């Protein structure tokens, strides 16, 4: 049974009727601009054809009842209990429930209505794989409450609500890239976002290339603490560099040459983290011209440089990701390969010549198993539209 049929069947079983609506929100893959969104840099993600679906309808009370089909768990909460970070029985919200609850909380902070909802949801975005399963849950519930509440927000505004939920409710000091891509995705396009102004444009992949995602099957243990540590190192770099360079608000304001002039004023680890960010922002800026010129070769080299930087300077790779990347680069048709998302496990993203992609996927999977003894999932990924609601 496909995802949609599964949630519809589970909804009927749980609530005794067909749901009125189905919300859909995609995960994302990022091609360039890793760990720069929370430094006001530029990112280049795409929404992918892996999604979270929520079957839902208004409930007759202010209580929302949510069944997480993938986990076989259910929770109920209302506005007040969510404010207290509890379910309706007064128990602490389980980890997964904090995402929809956080979205409800952030919507309420804007004084928008969130009627009680009956919902069943499930996802084929793998969890902990660097493809933004949590943002897809947030944005799916965001558009679901938008529907029931009878208000409308621009998708980028909904992304900001998701970001607020993630930072202030869940506790991850992330940037806006994931929620943005899930909310604003455009079919067959990459999204080039300025994380400072939030201006963005949809851009094409180089002609005759495709995106291939390779899942190492290693699940990251992305503790908020590890991610938040990276965030804190960037903040420290800014604080110190402000003493030397006027007008620096974030690492976005530091050019690579300025950085190298003052790098020795920073503690070693902080300098490595900041160097990655400053150079990665420059790479992403540069990539836009390359895309306009259909220059897959140079673009792929930026992806490769990004991986080395994430591995050596930002320290967020792992042996399996490095193996997957090294194997990919040896295969015909591969322009660039790197880890995607926060790192510490999960997936790589590969830019591959369209005609070579099937063989590439087959040989990469075989090579990876031979080298690591692990299974992988490797597939051509199609960029999709952002979150939305359909009638059942
Ligand atoms: C996670 C965060 C994003 C971004 C990436 C790394 O996916 O949620 O905001 O920082 O890591 O680029």
């Amino acid at each position: 049974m496909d995802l949609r049929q599964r949630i519809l069947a589970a909804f009927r079983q749980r609530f005794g009727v067909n749901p009125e609506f189905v919300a859909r929100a995609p995960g994302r893959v990022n091609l360039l601009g890793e760990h720069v969104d929370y430094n006001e840099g530029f990112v280049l993600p795409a929404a992918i054809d892996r999604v979270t679906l929520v079957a839902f309808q208004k409930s007759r009370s202010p209580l929302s009842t949510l069944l997480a089909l993938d986990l076989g768990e259910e929770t109920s909460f209302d506005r007040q209990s969510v404010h207290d970070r509890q379910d309706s029985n007064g128990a602490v919200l389980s980890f997964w429930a904090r995402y929809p609850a956080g979205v409800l909380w952030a919507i309420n902070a804007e004084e928008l209505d969130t009627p009680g909802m009956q919902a069943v949801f499930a996802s084929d975005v793998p969890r902990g794989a660097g493809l933004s399963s949590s943002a897809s849950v947030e944005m799916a519930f965001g558009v679901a409450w938008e529907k029931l509440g009878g208000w409308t927000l621009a998708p980028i505004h909904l992304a900001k609500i998701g970001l607020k939920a993630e930072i202030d409710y869940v506790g991850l000091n992330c940037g806006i890239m994931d929620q943005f891509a899930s909310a604003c995705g455009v079919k067959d396009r990459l999204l080039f976002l300025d994380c400072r102004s939030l201006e963005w444009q949809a851009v094409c992949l180089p002609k005759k290339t495709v995106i291939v995602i390779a899942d190492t099957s290693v699940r990251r243990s992305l503790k908020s603490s590890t991610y938040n540590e990276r965030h804190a190192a960037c903040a420290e770099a800014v604080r110190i560099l402000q003493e030397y360079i006027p007008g620096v608000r974030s690492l976005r304001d530091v050019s690579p040459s300025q950085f190298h002039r003052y790098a020795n004023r920073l503690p070693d680890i902080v300098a490595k983290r900041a160097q990655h960010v400053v150079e990665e922002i420059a790479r992403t800026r540069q990539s836009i011209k390359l895309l306009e010129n259909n220059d897959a070769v140079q673009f792929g080299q930026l992806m490769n440089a990004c991986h080395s930087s994430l591995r050596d300077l930002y320290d967020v790779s792992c042996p399996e990701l490095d193996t997957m990347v090294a194997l990919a680069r040896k295969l015909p048709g591969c322009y660039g390969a790197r880890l995607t998302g926060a790192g510490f496990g999960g997936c790589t993203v590969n830019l591959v010549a369209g005609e070579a992609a099937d063989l590439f996927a087959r040989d990469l999977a075989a090579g990876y198993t031979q080298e690591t003894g692990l299974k992988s999932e490797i597939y051509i990924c199609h960029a999709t539209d952002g979150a939305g609601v359909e009638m059942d």
Side-chain angles (χ1 to χ4, degrees), residues 72-369:
E73 286 183 28
E74 185 173 304
T75 193
S76 292
F77 49 66
D78 61 23
R79 205 181 155 127
Q80 185 56 45
S81 76
V82 161
H83 183 266
D84 300 335
R85 295 172 182 262
Q86 291 175 346
D87 67 15
S88 53
N89 298 319
V92 175
L93 283 171
S94 50
F95 188 71
W96 65 266
R98 282 189 235 161
Y99 293 94
V103 169
L104 179 142
W105 173 84
I107 293 171
N108 291 157
E110 305 234 348
E111 299 187 354
L112 293 166
D113 194 20
T114 48
M117 169 194 294
Q118 296 175 321
V120 173
F121 74 102
S123 187
D124 61 9
V125 186
R127 281 192 299 279
L131 300 178
S132 297
S133 56
S134 32
S136 75
V137 170
E138 288 160 4
M139 292 300 90
F141 278 97
V143 293
W145 266 304
E146 181 178 44
K147 187 79 192 175
L148 295 187
W151 39 267
T152 318
L153 288 179
I156 189 82
H157 195 149
L158 213 54
K160 284 201 220 171
I161 286 183
L163 179 65
K164 185 176 167 63
E166 187 96 43
I167 295 179
D168 295 331
Y169 204 83
V170 178
L172 188 74
N173 266 333
C174 63
I176 198 165
M177 170 169 72
D178 304 350
Q179 292 79 9
F180 157 75
S182 184
C184 301
V186 179
K187 187 167 170 4
D188 296 331
R189 294 286 181 276
L190 303 175
L191 315 165
F192 182 71
L193 170 71
D194 177 339
C195 298
R196 172 172 279 171
S197 68
L198 298 186
E199 278 165 19
W200 63 277
Q201 51 175 309
V203 291
C204 293
L205 274 176
K207 284 205 180 81
K208 299 191 182 154
T209 62
V210 294
I211 300 171
V212 177
I213 293 179
D215 190 339
T216 61
S217 78
V218 173
R219 288 297 167 254
R220 67 172 189 233
S221 49
L222 173 61
K223 302 214 176 63
S224 309
S225 57
T226 323
Y227 185 94
N228 291 349
E229 256 170 41
R230 299 293 183 284
H231 189 283
C234 296
E236 191 181 348
V238 169
R239 197 176 48 70
I240 299 171
L241 291 171
Q242 278 169 338
E243 294 173 29
Y244 303 97
I245 315 168
V248 170
R249 225 174 72 191
S250 69
L251 287 175
R252 152 79 172 268
D253 301 312
V254 181
S255 69
S257 63
Q258 280 173 323
F259 172 78
H260 287 290
R261 199 170 322 142
Y262 299 107
N264 61 1
R265 316 285 160 106
L266 303 174
D268 284 353
I269 294 277
V270 173
K272 280 171 69 182
R273 308 294 188 245
Q275 183 182 344
H276 164 74
V277 172
V278 167
E279 293 177 350
E280 178 73 353
I281 291 175
R283 277 190 287 273
T284 313
R285 262 193 160 131
Q286 197 189 336
S287 73
I288 243 334
K289 263 259 138 345
L290 299 175
L291 290 176
E292 277 165 18
N293 297 339
N294 267 308
D295 192 339
V297 173
Q298 296 283 327
F299 185 89
Q301 278 166 16
L302 293 182
M303 292 174 70
N304 292 344
C306 168
H307 185 79
S308 307
S309 178
L310 288 167
R311 182 191 58 210
D312 302 335
L313 298 173
Y314 221 62
D315 211 3
V316 293
S317 191
C318 68
E320 295 83 359
L321 284 167
D322 293 341
T323 300
M324 191 70 96
V325 161
L327 290 168
R329 287 184 194 162
K330 287 190 210 135
L331 293 173
C334 178
Y335 291 108
R338 69 173 197 82
L339 75 84
T340 190
F344 308 104
C347 295
T348 66
V349 58
N350 306 269
L351 185 69
V352 180
E355 81 232 3
D358 288 335
L359 260 189
F360 172 87
R362 198 195 67 191
D363 292 350
L364 184 55
Y368 182 73
T369 301

